[in-house]
Amino acid sequence: MNGPNGSQRRWHTSLETAAEMNNAVFITLIVTGFTVAFLHAAIPTHWLPFVVAARAQRWDIAKALVVTGVAGSGHVLFTTALGVLVAGGGIALNAKWSRAFPIIAGTALILVGLVYLVRQLKGSHGHVHLFGGHSHHEHGAHLHHYDSHEHYDQHDHDHDHNEERLEIETIEREWSRRGSDWAVIVGLFALLTFSPCEAFLPVFLIGSKYGWFGFAFLSAVLATATVAGMVTFTWLTLLGSQRLHFEVLDKYEAVIVGGIFCLLGVLIILFEK
């Protein structure tokens, strides 16, 4: 008598567990998307030009923040347009191979994460100081004594610092020239619009599992994190007499994003249904 009812209860319980796990994965995806977009917005190239231009044009804070928000919206729209292509492909793939899609998408996300990690390792070889600490890399036969180690370590540190300073100086030189407001605003808009947040595209791919509703929700997350981040950093810098410093975020963005993608990829493979 209780056999069929017991089977039905177990079936419903399994469905509820799968739904809860899918919800947990989607929430994790939302948090990941927000983190990726916010970290991307923290890069000085996404807010420092607005600070420099606002001071050169003698804009008040309100106008500077409006211009920042408008340019950030262009950045979001262009990224979202690329995301439509990615999500469309993902939705089609999910419709054809729905059971295998979590494995395909999760593996792709892990591979993207590894690309970011390798990029960090290749691009920051020797950039090993954290808060003035010493290198944790073993140089082996390349360094035969402490003085040589110190020389290479200091050279790499100086090189990294010089690259960062050169980038900041380039931004300040390009945007400190006074011109017409419209010319400056169009230039800032173009600068951000045509440099999309490529790191968010894998998030759109994973979100395609949830259809166009998931895409729309993730697009809103991208817009919120990006515009809020850009406006916040611009506002805080304009309020102070010195630039905000995000060397750690700028230098290690690739390893942070790569690590997050790898973890999310594993989570999707293990728990997505």
Side-chain angles (χ1 to χ4, degrees), residues 106-130:
T107 302
L109 195 59
I110 292 172
L111 292 176
V112 172
L114 291 175
V115 168
Y116 275 94
L117 292 174
V118 170
R119 178 192 299 179
Q120 175 72 34
L121 292 174
K122 286 186 175 181
S124 63
H125 181 68
H127 299 170
V128 291
H129 281 296
L130 273 178

Side-chain angles (χ1 to χ4, degrees), residues 125 135-146 148-149 152:
H125 181 68
S135 171
H136 295 287
H137 293 290
E138 293 297 329
H139 292 271
H142 295 290
L143 300 178
H144 299 288
H145 51 79
Y146 178 82
S148 180
H149 175 102
Y152 279 96

Side-chain angles (χ1 to χ4, degrees), residues 13-188:
T13 300
S14 298
L15 287 179
E16 290 173 359
T17 301
E20 289 175 359
M21 191 58 67
N22 284 346
N23 289 338
V25 172
F26 187 59
I27 291 172
T28 304
L29 184 61
I30 291 171
V31 174
T32 298
F34 188 92
T35 302
V36 168
F38 196 81
L39 283 175
H40 191 71
I43 299 173
T45 53
H46 285 61
W47 51 268
L48 184 57
F50 299 93
V51 174
V52 176
R55 289 172 176 167
Q57 299 297 118
R58 297 185 176 88
W59 293 339
D60 57 29
I61 291 181
K63 182 172 182 177
L65 297 185
V66 169
V67 172
T68 304
V70 170
S73 298
H75 182 68
V76 169
L77 287 174
F78 191 59
T79 303
T80 303
L82 296 177
V84 169
L85 302 178
V86 174
I91 290 172
L93 187 65
N94 183 49
K96 191 170 184 178
W97 293 298
S98 59
R99 297 181 68 88
F101 182 78
I103 297 175
I104 296 172
T107 302
L109 195 59
I110 292 172
L111 292 176
V112 172
L114 291 175
V115 168
Y116 275 94
L117 292 174
V118 170
R119 178 192 299 179
Q120 175 72 34
L121 292 174
K122 286 186 175 181
S124 63
H125 181 68
H127 299 170
V128 291
H129 281 296
L130 273 178
F131 310 111
H134 294 289
S135 171
H136 295 287
H137 293 290
E138 293 297 329
H139 292 271
H142 295 290
L143 300 178
H144 299 288
H145 51 79
Y146 178 82
D147 290 337
S148 180
H149 175 102
E150 187 177 46
H151 169 74
Y152 279 96
D153 195 46
Q154 183 62 40
H155 172 75
D156 290 332
H157 176 76
D158 291 343
H159 176 70
D160 181 56
H161 180 71
N162 289 337
E163 282 188 345
E164 176 194 342
R165 185 172 59 189
L166 180 61
E167 181 182 33
I168 298 299
E169 289 176 352
T170 300
I171 292 173
E172 292 178 338
R173 183 174 59 254
E174 289 180 352
W175 296 102
S176 60
R177 302 189 189 98
R178 186 172 172 80
S180 69
D181 279 1
W182 279 112
V184 173
I185 291 171
V186 170
L188 290 169

